[in-house]
Amino acid sequence: RGGGGGGEGGEAALATLVVAGVGAGSVTLDWSGGVGEATSGGGTGGGTLYELQWRAAKPGRAWGEWATSESARAMVAHSATKRNLDPAALHQFRVRARASDGSWHTPFSSPTSPLRCLPLGQPQKPQQPQQP
């Protein structure tokens, strides 16, 4: 079985999510932790799978629903860059690990603070705290 930090006896541990960088229409995220049991990981030789979700809010509007994609529900890596984001909107992200029984009944990390990506044409830079 795969090792690493995680829950004992079927209890799920939360993954820790951080914003590693903000680019033009993109955000790079890193995470660690979550369930430590090996799960089916396709052709990757097993390992914990992660699901990344995101949502956006235009200025003066409520947050949209959490969204994901097929590829964002089968991530083995501990980082991802979400592209094609609207620079005019605020964005939040969260991640969770697949449970050792293969289900997604595990808690999500705390959402990131609301953030904006850079306008198109600007280079990526390390994340700095922004006020909504």
Side-chain angles (χ1 to χ4, degrees):
R1 290 192 169 181
E8 292 286 330
E11 291 185 24
L14 287 176
T16 302
L17 179 66
V18 296
V19 177
V22 176
S26 68
V27 173
T28 299
L29 303 147
D30 291 334
W31 58 86
S32 62
V35 177
E37 293 286 327
T39 60
S40 60
T44 62
T48 300
L49 292 179
Y50 295 92
E51 176 185 11
L52 178 67
Q53 291 189 346
W54 55 88
R55 66 181 181 172
K58 295 272 191 174
R61 296 198 180 168
W63 285 103
E65 296 292 320
W66 287 103
T68 191
S69 68
E70 189 75 23
S71 61
R73 287 196 69 167
M75 302 181 75
V76 178
H78 289 249
S79 67
T81 299
K82 176 66 180 120
R83 301 183 196 292
N84 301 316
L85 298 173
D86 181 354
L90 289 171
H91 301 276
Q92 280 188 307
F93 302 88
R94 65 185 185 178
V95 68
R96 67 178 169 176
R98 180 179 270 183
S100 58
D101 66 3
S103 73
W104 286 109
H105 299 289
T106 56
F108 280 97
S109 65
S110 297
T112 61
S113 296
L115 59 100
R116 281 187 174 82
C117 57
L118 299 175
L120 297 178
Q122 290 192 12
Q124 182 167 327
K125 64 180 181 179
Q127 173 60 23
Q128 297 174 3
Q130 287 188 350
Q131 298 298 317

